[in-house]
Amino acid sequence: AQSVTQLGSHVSVSEGALVLLRCNYSSSVPPYLFWYVQYPNQGLQLLLKYTTGATLVKGINGFEAEFKKSETSFHLTKPSAHMSDAAEYFCAVTDNNAGNMLTFGGGTRLMVKP
Amino acid sequence: DSGVTQTPKHLITATGQRVTLRCSPRSGDLSVYWYQQSLDQGLQFLIQYYNGEERAKGNILERFSAQQFPDLHSELNLSSLELGDSALYFCASSVAGSTGNSPLHFGNGTRLTVT
Protein backbone atom coordinates (compact mmCIF):
# COMPACT_ATOMS: atom_id res chain seq x y z
CA ALA A 1 0.00 0.00 0.00
CA GLN A 2 1.09 3.51 -0.69
CA SER A 3 1.69 6.11 1.95
CA VAL A 4 2.98 9.65 2.17
CA THR A 5 4.60 11.29 5.17
CA GLN A 6 5.07 15.02 5.36
CA LEU A 7 7.46 15.95 8.14
CA GLY A 8 6.26 19.00 10.02
CA SER A 9 2.61 19.94 10.00
CA HIS A 10 3.65 23.60 10.38
CA VAL A 11 6.69 25.34 8.92
CA SER A 12 7.51 28.98 9.51
CA VAL A 13 10.05 30.95 7.47
CA SER A 14 10.94 34.59 7.07
CA GLU A 15 10.20 36.41 3.84
CA GLY A 16 13.15 35.91 1.50
CA ALA A 17 14.33 32.74 3.23
CA LEU A 18 14.59 29.27 1.73
CA VAL A 19 11.45 27.16 1.82
CA LEU A 20 11.92 23.43 2.36
CA LEU A 21 8.89 21.17 2.78
CA ARG A 22 9.64 17.50 3.29
CA CYS A 23 7.84 14.56 1.76
CA ASN A 24 8.66 10.87 1.97
CA TYR A 25 6.62 8.21 0.24
CA SER A 26 6.31 4.48 0.05
CA SER A 27 5.35 2.65 -3.11
CA SER A 28 6.13 -0.85 -4.30
CA VAL A 29 6.47 0.24 -7.92
CA PRO A 30 7.77 3.41 -9.59
CA PRO A 31 5.69 6.28 -8.27
CA TYR A 32 4.08 9.31 -9.74
CA LEU A 33 4.54 12.19 -7.30
CA PHE A 34 2.75 15.48 -6.95
CA TRP A 35 2.75 18.65 -4.87
CA TYR A 36 -0.47 20.59 -4.47
CA VAL A 37 -1.09 23.91 -2.72
CA GLN A 38 -4.30 24.90 -0.98
CA TYR A 39 -5.06 28.54 -0.21
CA PRO A 40 -7.75 29.36 2.33
CA ASN A 41 -11.28 28.58 1.16
CA GLN A 42 -10.01 27.21 -2.12
CA GLY A 43 -9.41 23.86 -3.73
CA LEU A 44 -6.06 22.25 -4.35
CA GLN A 45 -3.89 23.61 -7.13
CA LEU A 46 -1.19 21.55 -8.80
CA LEU A 47 2.31 22.96 -8.19
CA LEU A 48 4.35 20.31 -9.95
CA LYS A 49 4.52 16.63 -10.75
CA TYR A 50 7.06 13.88 -11.34
CA THR A 51 6.22 10.96 -13.59
CA THR A 52 9.39 9.82 -15.36
CA GLY A 53 12.57 11.35 -16.67
CA ALA A 54 14.40 14.26 -15.08
CA THR A 55 14.38 13.97 -11.32
CA LEU A 56 14.44 17.71 -10.70
CA VAL A 57 11.03 19.08 -11.49
CA LYS A 58 10.17 22.75 -11.78
CA GLY A 59 6.71 24.01 -11.04
CA ILE A 60 4.73 27.19 -10.81
CA ASN A 61 5.51 30.16 -8.56
CA GLY A 62 9.23 29.33 -8.41
CA PHE A 63 8.85 25.99 -6.64
CA GLU A 64 10.79 22.88 -7.52
CA ALA A 65 11.12 19.36 -6.17
CA GLU A 66 13.65 16.59 -6.57
CA PHE A 67 12.75 12.92 -6.77
CA LYS A 68 15.32 10.85 -4.88
CA LYS A 69 14.55 7.16 -5.27
CA SER A 70 17.24 6.03 -2.84
CA GLU A 71 15.76 8.22 -0.12
CA THR A 72 12.11 7.74 -1.21
CA SER A 73 11.77 11.50 -0.97
CA PHE A 74 10.24 14.30 -2.99
CA HIS A 75 11.01 17.46 -1.04
CA LEU A 76 9.64 20.80 -2.20
CA THR A 77 11.87 23.88 -2.23
CA LYS A 78 11.77 27.53 -3.15
CA PRO A 79 14.86 29.74 -2.87
CA SER A 80 13.10 32.82 -1.54
CA ALA A 81 9.75 32.85 0.26
CA HIS A 82 7.10 35.45 -0.49
CA MET A 83 4.21 36.40 1.76
CA SER A 84 1.88 35.06 -0.92
CA ASP A 85 3.35 31.56 -0.45
CA ALA A 86 1.57 31.19 2.89
CA ALA A 87 -0.77 28.24 2.36
CA GLU A 88 -1.11 24.52 3.01
CA TYR A 89 0.95 22.19 0.86
CA PHE A 90 0.14 18.57 0.13
CA CYS A 91 2.40 15.88 -1.26
CA ALA A 92 0.67 13.01 -3.06
CA VAL A 93 1.61 9.70 -4.66
CA THR A 94 0.09 7.25 -7.05
CA ASP A 95 1.38 4.47 -9.29
CA ASN A 96 0.19 2.10 -11.95
CA ASN A 97 -1.05 -0.37 -9.32
CA ALA A 98 -2.97 2.20 -7.32
CA GLY A 99 -6.18 2.03 -9.28
CA ASN A 100 -6.18 5.77 -9.88
CA MET A 101 -6.20 6.45 -6.17
CA LEU A 102 -4.09 9.46 -5.27
CA THR A 103 -2.79 9.17 -1.70
CA PHE A 104 -2.15 12.46 0.05
CA GLY A 105 0.11 13.33 2.92
CA GLY A 106 -1.25 15.11 5.95
CA GLY A 107 -0.25 18.51 4.67
CA THR A 108 2.19 21.18 5.81
CA ARG A 109 1.02 24.66 6.66
CA LEU A 110 3.61 27.20 5.55
CA MET A 111 3.70 30.50 7.40
CA VAL A 112 5.79 33.38 6.07
CA LYS A 113 6.90 36.07 8.49
CA PRO A 114 7.58 39.60 7.27
CA ASP B 1 -9.85 29.20 -11.60
CA SER B 2 -9.55 25.43 -12.13
CA GLY B 3 -12.66 25.18 -14.29
CA VAL B 4 -14.23 22.66 -11.92
CA THR B 5 -17.51 23.90 -10.43
CA GLN B 6 -18.99 22.59 -7.23
CA THR B 7 -22.36 23.45 -5.75
CA PRO B 8 -23.41 24.33 -3.16
CA LYS B 9 -20.46 25.97 -1.43
CA HIS B 10 -21.92 25.41 2.01
CA LEU B 11 -24.48 22.96 3.30
CA ILE B 12 -25.85 22.72 6.82
CA THR B 13 -28.15 19.87 7.68
CA ALA B 14 -29.22 17.64 10.54
CA THR B 15 -28.23 14.12 11.45
CA GLY B 16 -30.16 11.47 9.59
CA GLN B 17 -30.75 13.65 6.57
CA ARG B 18 -29.70 13.14 2.95
CA VAL B 19 -27.86 15.63 0.76
CA THR B 20 -26.61 15.81 -2.82
CA LEU B 21 -23.39 17.51 -3.84
CA ARG B 22 -22.91 18.47 -7.47
CA CYS B 23 -19.80 18.78 -9.60
CA SER B 24 -19.23 20.00 -13.14
CA PRO B 25 -15.80 19.00 -14.46
CA ARG B 26 -13.51 21.09 -16.63
CA SER B 27 -14.52 21.20 -20.24
CA GLY B 28 -13.09 18.15 -21.98
CA ASP B 29 -12.31 16.20 -18.81
CA LEU B 30 -13.81 12.72 -18.72
CA SER B 31 -12.82 11.68 -15.18
CA VAL B 32 -14.40 12.94 -11.99
CA TYR B 33 -13.01 12.17 -8.55
CA TRP B 34 -14.54 12.80 -5.13
CA TYR B 35 -12.41 13.46 -2.05
CA GLN B 36 -13.30 14.13 1.57
CA GLN B 37 -11.13 16.47 3.65
CA SER B 38 -11.49 16.46 7.41
CA LEU B 39 -9.23 17.51 10.25
CA ASP B 40 -8.81 14.02 11.64
CA GLN B 41 -8.68 11.99 8.39
CA GLY B 42 -7.00 14.44 6.05
CA LEU B 43 -7.71 14.06 2.33
CA GLN B 44 -9.40 10.76 1.59
CA PHE B 45 -10.20 9.45 -1.89
CA LEU B 46 -13.82 8.37 -2.16
CA ILE B 47 -14.60 7.37 -5.72
CA GLN B 48 -13.76 7.99 -9.38
CA TYR B 49 -15.93 7.95 -12.49
CA TYR B 50 -14.63 7.90 -16.02
CA ASN B 51 -16.96 8.71 -18.90
CA GLY B 52 -20.01 7.68 -16.94
CA GLU B 53 -18.72 4.49 -15.38
CA GLU B 54 -17.25 3.82 -11.97
CA ARG B 55 -13.47 3.41 -12.35
CA ALA B 56 -12.07 3.24 -8.84
CA LYS B 57 -13.35 3.10 -5.31
CA GLY B 58 -11.63 4.29 -2.16
CA ASN B 59 -12.79 4.77 1.40
CA ILE B 60 -16.39 5.46 0.55
CA LEU B 61 -19.04 4.51 3.09
CA GLU B 62 -22.04 2.43 2.05
CA ARG B 63 -24.25 5.38 3.02
CA PHE B 64 -22.57 7.39 0.26
CA SER B 65 -23.08 6.94 -3.46
CA ALA B 66 -22.15 8.78 -6.60
CA GLN B 67 -22.88 8.83 -10.28
CA GLN B 68 -21.71 10.55 -13.43
CA PHE B 69 -24.27 11.62 -15.96
CA PRO B 70 -24.07 11.65 -19.79
CA ASP B 71 -23.12 15.34 -19.74
CA LEU B 72 -20.23 14.28 -17.44
CA HIS B 73 -21.36 16.18 -14.38
CA SER B 74 -21.33 14.14 -11.21
CA GLU B 75 -23.32 13.99 -8.01
CA LEU B 76 -22.30 12.65 -4.63
CA ASN B 77 -25.19 11.52 -2.46
CA LEU B 78 -24.71 11.30 1.29
CA SER B 79 -27.48 9.70 3.34
CA SER B 80 -28.24 8.95 6.99
CA LEU B 81 -25.83 11.71 7.84
CA GLU B 82 -23.81 11.58 11.04
CA LEU B 83 -21.90 14.29 12.86
CA GLY B 84 -18.66 12.71 11.67
CA ASP B 85 -19.61 13.30 8.06
CA SER B 86 -18.99 17.01 8.54
CA ALA B 87 -16.12 17.80 6.19
CA LEU B 88 -15.05 19.55 3.04
CA TYR B 89 -15.93 17.51 -0.02
CA PHE B 90 -13.86 18.12 -3.12
CA CYS B 91 -14.51 17.18 -6.67
CA ALA B 92 -11.62 16.94 -9.09
CA SER B 93 -11.47 16.21 -12.78
CA SER B 94 -8.89 15.05 -15.28
CA VAL B 95 -8.71 14.32 -18.96
CA ALA B 96 -7.72 10.68 -18.74
CA GLY B 97 -8.63 7.80 -16.51
CA SER B 98 -5.20 7.48 -14.97
CA THR B 99 -3.92 9.96 -12.42
CA GLY B 100 -0.33 9.31 -13.31
CA ASN B 101 -0.54 10.83 -16.74
CA SER B 102 -3.30 13.30 -16.10
CA PRO B 103 -3.11 15.49 -13.00
CA LEU B 104 -6.25 16.34 -11.08
CA HIS B 105 -7.86 19.77 -11.15
CA PHE B 106 -9.83 20.50 -8.02
CA GLY B 107 -12.97 22.50 -7.40
CA ASN B 108 -13.30 24.79 -4.39
CA GLY B 109 -15.26 22.22 -2.44
CA THR B 110 -18.55 21.94 -0.62
CA ARG B 111 -18.37 22.44 3.13
CA LEU B 112 -20.87 20.13 4.80
CA THR B 113 -21.86 20.72 8.40
CA VAL B 114 -24.03 18.13 10.10
CA THR B 115 -25.68 19.31 13.33
Side-chain angles (χ1 to χ4, degrees):
Chain A
Q2 299 170 313
S3 67
V4 178
T5 302
Q6 291 184 238
L7 292 175
S9 57
H10 292 80
V11 169
S12 181
V13 301
S14 296
E15 194 172 18
L18 171 72
V19 175
L20 171 60
L21 305 182
R22 300 178 187 275
C23 171
N24 288 89
Y25 69 91
S26 70
S27 177
S28 57
V29 297
Y32 301 120
L33 295 157
F34 306 81
W35 275 100
Y36 282 86
V37 60
Q38 184 179 26
Y39 298 102
N41 300 314
Q42 293 187 27
L44 282 73
Q45 179 184 4
L46 180 67
L47 275 178
L48 50 79
K49 64 172 181 173
Y50 168 80
T51 52
T52 58
T55 57
L56 182 62
V57 180
K58 294 187 185 299
I60 62 171
N61 301 339
F63 285 93
E64 62 182 36
E66 186 170 11
F67 169 58
K68 291 188 176 180
K69 183 179 177 181
S70 61
E71 298 177 8
T72 60
S73 69
F74 191 58
H75 302 331
L76 182 70
T77 60
K78 182 173 180 178
S80 176
H82 295 168
M83 297 296 291
S84 60
D85 294 326
E88 187 142 22
Y89 292 80
F90 292 92
C91 181
V93 65
T94 190
D95 59 48
N96 286 333
N97 292 341
N100 300 320
M101 191 163 63
L102 197 59
T103 299
F104 284 89
T108 297
R109 184 165 299 278
L110 176 66
M111 294 166 284
V112 182
K113 299 176 293 186
Chain B
D1 182 11
S2 68
V4 178
T5 304
Q6 288 188 250
T7 56
K9 290 184 180 179
H10 302 277
L11 203 47
I12 301 174
T13 189
T15 53
Q17 295 299 304
R18 182 178 188 274
V19 297
T20 297
L21 282 53
R22 183 187 169 99
C23 169
S24 294
R26 285 191 327 161
S27 177
D29 284 359
L30 298 179
S31 271
V32 168
Y33 303 75
W34 287 97
Y35 280 82
Q36 179 194 58
Q37 185 180 35
S38 62
L39 285 175
D40 53 345
Q41 297 286 330
L43 270 161
Q44 298 281 320
F45 168 70
L46 296 178
I47 197 164
Q48 178 206 2
Y49 279 82
Y50 177 74
N51 205 20
E53 300 207 353
E54 184 182 304
R55 177 64 70 95
K57 217 168 191 176
N59 301 322
I60 189 166
L61 300 172
E62 285 193 10
R63 300 184 285 109
F64 296 0
S65 65
Q67 54 185 327
Q68 187 179 28
F69 294 88
D71 67 352
L72 300 177
H73 91 271
S74 177
E75 292 180 356
L76 178 67
N77 300 297
L78 314 177
S79 61
S80 303
L81 285 167
E82 302 174 359
L83 294 177
D85 297 327
S86 296
L88 195 53
Y89 290 84
F90 284 111
C91 170
S93 72
S94 67
V95 171
S98 167
T99 52
N101 295 324
S102 180
L104 306 187
H105 299 270
F106 283 79
N108 286 342
T110 293
R111 183 170 295 282
L112 173 67
T113 303
V114 182
T115 62

